[in-house]
Amino acid sequence: MQQVDQQGGILRLAVPVPLRRLFDYLPPEGVEASRLVPGQRLWVPFGGRKLVAVLVARVGESSLDSLKPALELVDQQPLFDERSRAFLQWAASYYQAPPGELYSAALPAALRKGKPADHWAEQWLALTTEGKGLPDTALARAPKQQALLQKLLAGGPQSRTALRADGVTAAVIRALEERGLAAWESGPTVPPPLPSAEPTPPPGLNEEQRQVLAAIPTQGFSVSLLEGTTGSGKTEVYLRLMERVLEAGRQALLLVPEIGLTPQTLRRIAARFPQHSIAALHSGLAEGERAQAWLAAAGGQADIVIGTRSAILTPLPRLGAVIVDEEHDGSFKQQDGVRYSARDLAVVLGRMAEVPVLLGSATPSLESLHNALNGRYQHLRLRHRAGDARPPQIHVVPTLGQQLEEGFAPQVLRHIGETLARGEQALVFINRRGFAPALACDDCGWLADCPHCSSKLTLHRRERSLRCHHCDYRRPLVDSCPSCHSRALSALGGGTERSEALLANRFADYPVIRVDRDTTSSKEALDRLLAPARDGEPCLLLGTQMLAKGHHLPKVTLVVIQDADSGLFSADFRASERMGQLLEQVAGRAGRGDLAGRVLVQSRYPEHPLLQLLLEKGYGPYARQLLRERAAAGLPPMRAMALFRAECEEPRWAQEFLEQARGMLESLAPSSPQLQYLGPVPALLERKSGRFRFYLQITAEQRAALPPLLSRLCAWAEGNRNRRLRWAVDMDAQELA
Ligand code: ADP
Ligand code: ZN
Ligand code: ZN
């Protein structure tokens, strides 16, 4: 049975539920279908609940025979324009995301909950007919009122935001209203004001910057990778590109990493474009401010939109260019829920909107570098520093056979102590990410490696086994070193809590500031945490990648990388890339003030060719070498990769579920050189919050081969669900953890 309505009176809606499909409804009682436009929100009944859905299309027929009416129309004007809807639909099918959840992710919380958009309509103070008829000296006895009258006569209606920014008081406004000279009117939403900044004219570009800017096409779709060390003037190039976009009457979108959206960044941009309205979208905003900024962006009122990951999902009707700063940053990839990559979507959006995309980094991701080297992206470079910071000295501290204290060599602890005693600051990176322990001998340096691959075996304690995450070879755990018979075997990257405890104890006279995703859920928390460091008092900062950039900490003169090996030998093939990015970024950090910097890198293998390459030649040549290794190993970016993850309190169920999934996939598309399956294998972090985690890895020569396969996989999984088991598709997975 089908329901047919030739007038297109059936509503196809994205409903925020974890199902990979749209849902059909009838218009709300008493609302003409013709009033309904795609992109509007409606309240709908769903399984006994009331949800906020987005109208995707009006259609003439439905495969269902009884449709429920929607409950209520929320928006007069659509929130999502046509391109934005097409873009979200593309993303939903590429990432296998439930469309309703993707629309939800695109909306700010307040709008997701169904708040009316008019709530944030800007109020404009306009002269009444009577007001317009007055000479501009009419209120000479009340100078403040007269000033406001003149402003309105000369400049037309003024927004409440602008009046507030100009210091016009409510009393003065009320006086004009009471005289019947002016009245408030509703208009489109404008972004909340940013911290004010003195307008600053741009510096003249240097020759390299000029060439880079000239090479970015003004019109049409293009992607350029701007590779340039920290301080080489990339941001200046972004600002000039924005200027060009604004002159053409278009909107510029700038994506920055989670911790990159600092008040300094905003001030720098606000100072450059005092005449333009700027919407900042980030997690530090109050709910109402965020909705206001989003509506100004989506309504086209904001000329510049700056935001973190989810800003890429915001509709931008006048989009003129997309810029992604620090494009290699891990925070552009959403790691749960809808697992999209904002960096990759930026390229898709650029193509749909036919505008240039600029990806910038001092340490480009191997994905982008590969595309630049093979000519798919234009490769632009800034080789010289625009500023004049001195490069720091980098030393490797060999740790093999040393008496380590919770992972630190005595000389490293001594250096930290001396740095603090001199009144300076030290920054210690403890590699916590990836939890990909390889097994190593502390006495001779033996490493458990795979007899079939050039990769290291990964320690899985629960199974008491060593497994290869590349070919699935496995062997039982050993108690002593096969090479020197020492029993001093340890997991690379293990014991981070104890390392932290040691430092906190040893240097208890100084503030020890721990920065990671757990301690710093918000921008404000991070700013507060870092206050002593900014004030310049001696302190010890402990951190992850988060600390590597974005913060100007001129008193940091010592940087310690506790364990380069867990980066170099991790079973997570991306660990070496991250390690290189970290080292290059901290090298750009240390000694930025007038104090010289020193970087100490602990390693069991100071002679390792990759480490040598990184330390001697820097990230560029190192990254190119990693690309050759990835090619040899058949790994991304040369092949596309997706993970099908499952987790469950009962490990056997998760494993069996993935085995069945693999069987189903192999019957659809048998494995071949073009398409390969691996697993199920335990995730590098095997157990999390009481659940055992496994994944199935699928790699393909052609990226386009994966989405159709994954779509079938999802349909299968939705029909074969064990309620106690959670599963997820991770297209272009970034972490094997
Ligand atoms: P990046 O984004 O590559 O780290 P920035 O654009 O922030 O580099 O530039 C680093 C510093 O150099 C900033 O203080 C910036 O104002 C300054 N700068 C950049 N380009 C120029 C230029 N052409 N002339 C003078 N100063 C410049
Ligand atoms: Zn040994
Ligand atoms: Zn192997």
Side-chain angles (χ1 to χ4, degrees):
M1 276 287 281
Q2 284 199 333
Q3 182 138 337
V4 179
D5 181 316
Q6 302 303 355
Q7 263 60 59
I10 294 171
L11 312 182
R12 191 147 287 170
L13 293 161
V15 182
V17 292
L19 294 171
R20 288 162 180 78
R21 43 173 292 221
L22 299 168
F23 295 87
D24 293 349
Y25 284 84
L26 296 173
E29 302 285 348
V31 176
E32 285 290 322
S34 59
R35 267 188 60 202
L36 300 173
V37 195
Q40 286 170 328
R41 289 172 300 158
L42 294 110
W43 284 102
V44 298
F46 192 95
R49 291 184 297 159
K50 243 181 96 177
L51 299 175
V52 177
V54 176
L55 180 59
V56 171
R58 271 178 31 215
V59 295
E61 56 186 270
S62 172
S63 56
L64 293 178
D65 54 357
S66 89
L67 295 178
K68 288 191 186 146
L71 300 170
E72 198 187 332
L73 176 62
V74 182
D75 298 309
Q76 298 311 307
Q77 299 297 321
L79 296 184
F80 294 91
D81 62 4
E82 191 176 348
R83 185 178 66 228
S84 164
R85 296 194 312 272
F87 173 65
L88 292 175
Q89 184 174 339
W90 187 95
S93 65
Y94 182 76
Y95 291 109
Q96 309 304 320
E101 289 190 346
L102 196 57
Y103 273 93
S104 266
L107 285 167
L111 299 178
R112 206 182 296 153
K113 292 181 204 157
K115 271 230 177 196
D118 323 341
H119 183 82
W120 289 277
E122 177 64 306
Q123 300 299 307
W124 296 79
L125 189 66
L127 291 174
T128 57
T129 322
E130 191 180 343
K132 283 179 192 149
L134 286 185
D136 67 0
T137 50
L139 301 173
R141 282 209 227 133
K144 285 185 180 163
Q145 293 176 40
Q146 162 138 314
L148 178 55
L149 175 69
Q150 285 171 342
K151 189 193 267 292
L152 293 167
L153 281 168
Q158 301 288 313
S159 71
R160 192 188 283 278
T161 314
L163 290 172
R164 201 179 294 148
D166 289 350
V168 178
T169 63
V172 174
I173 296 172
R174 211 171 317 114
L176 286 202
E177 280 183 275
E178 280 164 6
R179 288 170 190 259
L181 302 177
W184 289 106
E185 293 170 357
S186 263
T189 303
V190 299
L194 293 181
S196 62
E198 277 302 298
T200 13
L205 293 188
N206 63 36
E207 185 51 32
E208 255 191 330
Q209 288 169 317
R210 240 196 311 278
Q211 285 174 8
V212 162
L213 190 67
I216 301 168
T218 0
Q219 287 183 337
F221 169 57
S222 62
V223 190
S224 309
L225 172 66
L226 176 54
E227 184 179 10
T229 49
T230 311
S232 60
K234 295 184 295 299
T235 308
E236 205 45 57
V237 172
Y238 307 156
L239 292 169
R240 294 298 184 113
L241 178 61
M242 289 167 137
E243 186 179 292
R244 216 164 75 182
V245 169
L246 297 175
E247 276 166 11
R250 301 261 201 120
Q251 289 173 296
L253 173 61
L254 172 65
L255 294 180
V256 296
E258 248 160 42
I259 65 151
L261 198 48
T262 59
Q264 294 97 293
T265 316
L266 289 177
R267 239 175 268 130
R268 184 167 175 190
I269 295 172
R272 184 64 63 83
F273 302 107
Q275 306 305 324
H276 290 275
S277 80
I278 304 174
L281 295 166
H282 58 92
S283 52
L285 292 178
E287 210 173 274
E289 285 178 322
R290 176 133 193 181
Q292 192 183 343
W294 190 94
L295 286 165
Q301 289 80 257
D303 297 320
I304 299 174
V305 178
I306 310 171
T308 48
R309 181 176 58 227
S310 67
I312 192 66
L313 305 175
T314 309
L316 297 167
R318 296 189 287 119
L319 185 67
V322 188
I323 302 167
V324 185
D325 186 24
E326 310 278 8
E327 64 85 32
H328 66 279
D329 193 88
S331 74
F332 287 124
K333 176 73 163 52
Q334 169 84 25
Q335 300 289 9
D336 48 34
V338 180
R339 297 170 187 245
Y340 63 94
S341 157
R343 194 257 328 274
D344 296 349
L345 283 180
V347 173
V348 175
L349 182 62
R351 194 177 58 216
M352 286 190 167
E354 298 177 46
V355 300
V357 179
L358 179 61
L359 309 175
S361 176
T363 54
S365 63
L366 295 191
E367 275 74 11
S368 299
L369 190 61
H370 177 59
N371 281 327
L373 294 176
N374 72 15
R376 285 189 57 202
Y377 294 174
Q378 172 170 225
H379 198 176
L380 304 173
R381 308 188 68 171
L382 288 174
R383 291 165 201 271
H384 306 290
R385 278 187 187 238
D388 58 356
R390 268 177 289 170
Q393 297 171 285
I394 304 182
H395 302 278
V396 185
V397 179
T399 55
L400 216 52
Q402 289 231 34
Q403 207 58 27
L404 300 183
E405 274 187 79
E406 304 299 1
F408 291 100
Q411 75 176 98
V412 168
L413 292 172
R414 206 177 55 237
H415 274 294
I416 297 175
E418 287 169 6
T419 303
L420 294 171
R422 277 199 304 271
E424 295 165 13
Q425 300 173 349
L427 176 46
V428 178
F429 284 93
I430 295 183
N431 199 339
R432 204 190 320 258
R433 287 183 66 186
F435 270 82
L439 194 65
C441 172
D442 287 336
D443 286 324
C444 76
W446 168 84
L447 265 172
D449 44 21
C450 175
H452 309 300
C453 311
S454 60
S455 85
K456 304 301 158 202
L457 296 177
T458 297
L459 175 62
H460 288 276
R461 290 188 198 278
R462 189 181 59 86
E463 292 187 344
R464 294 197 47 79
S465 74
L466 294 163
R467 294 179 71 153
C468 175
H469 279 246
H470 200 60
C471 73
D472 214 11
Y473 165 84
R474 47 192 108 169
R475 59 178 279 187
L477 192 54
V478 290
D479 294 327
S480 58
C481 171
S483 168
C484 77
H485 308 293
S486 161
R487 297 181 74 85
L489 296 181
S490 62
L492 301 183
T496 57
E497 288 82 7
R498 301 216 322 253
S499 309
E500 288 182 15
L502 169 87
L503 294 176
N505 244 318
R506 173 70 59 94
F507 303 108
D509 292 345
Y510 300 94
V512 174
I513 305 171
R514 211 184 111 209
V515 177
D516 58 30
R517 268 177 231 285
D518 305 332
T519 55
T520 50
S521 46
S522 75
K523 190 83 226 44
E524 285 65 38
L526 184 59
D527 280 346
R528 257 197 317 279
L529 208 58
L530 288 178
R534 266 196 314 271
D535 293 347
E537 42 175 302
C539 62
L540 180 57
L541 295 144
L542 291 185
T544 53
Q545 216 102 347
M546 279 186 84
L547 261 181
K549 64 219 149 178
H551 292 275
H552 185 61
L553 299 171
K555 280 271 180 110
V556 171
T557 56
L558 176 68
V559 174
V560 174
I561 297 192
Q562 188 207 18
D563 183 8
D565 304 338
S566 61
L568 292 175
F569 306 117
S570 171
D572 184 339
F573 64 88
R574 284 196 175 82
S576 50
E577 175 184 355
R578 287 190 207 114
M579 169 75 206
Q581 290 163 345
L582 173 66
L583 203 69
E584 183 86 16
Q585 302 268 356
V586 295
R589 244 4 33 211
R592 271 195 143 189
D594 41 9
L595 299 163
R598 181 196 289 269
V599 180
L600 300 178
V601 181
Q602 294 199 145
S603 172
R604 287 177 174 81
Y605 313 99
E607 308 298 328
H608 192 278
L610 263 182
L611 187 58
Q612 286 296 323
L613 182 62
L614 178 59
L615 296 179
E616 281 168 17
K617 300 272 162 58
Y619 181 79
Y622 172 80
R624 286 157 179 80
Q625 174 61 27
L626 291 182
L627 273 177
R628 285 189 283 274
E629 296 187 359
R630 297 268 188 98
L635 287 168
M638 280 69 183
R639 291 172 74 93
M641 176 182 285
L643 299 185
F644 185 53
R645 301 171 181 275
E647 54 177 64
C648 187
E649 283 169 16
E650 174 53 64
R652 201 166 36 91
W653 292 352
Q655 247 165 320
E656 281 170 11
F657 176 75
L658 292 180
E659 271 156 22
Q660 287 167 18
R662 177 170 176 166
M664 194 281 299
L665 286 171
E666 283 186 307
S667 69
L668 276 177
S671 68
S672 68
Q674 289 80 39
L675 186 70
Q676 283 167 352
Y677 304 100
L678 171 76
V681 283
L684 301 181
L685 178 57
E686 271 188 76
R687 189 155 183 245
K688 194 173 167 188
S689 321
R691 278 187 296 273
F692 291 93
R693 310 159 75 238
F694 294 82
Y695 64 78
L696 186 64
Q697 176 183 304
I698 313 164
T699 58
E701 218 166 69
Q702 299 299 324
R703 182 171 306 273
L706 289 179
L709 211 53
L710 296 173
S711 160
R712 298 285 292 270
L713 184 58
C714 288
W716 172 86
E718 280 171 2
N720 283 270
R721 198 162 116 81
N722 174 333
R723 298 220 150 263
R724 311 234 333 246
L725 184 144
R726 292 191 197 164
W727 59 268
V729 168
D730 195 353
M731 179 68 190
D732 301 326
Q734 287 294 305
E735 294 197 11
L736 302 182

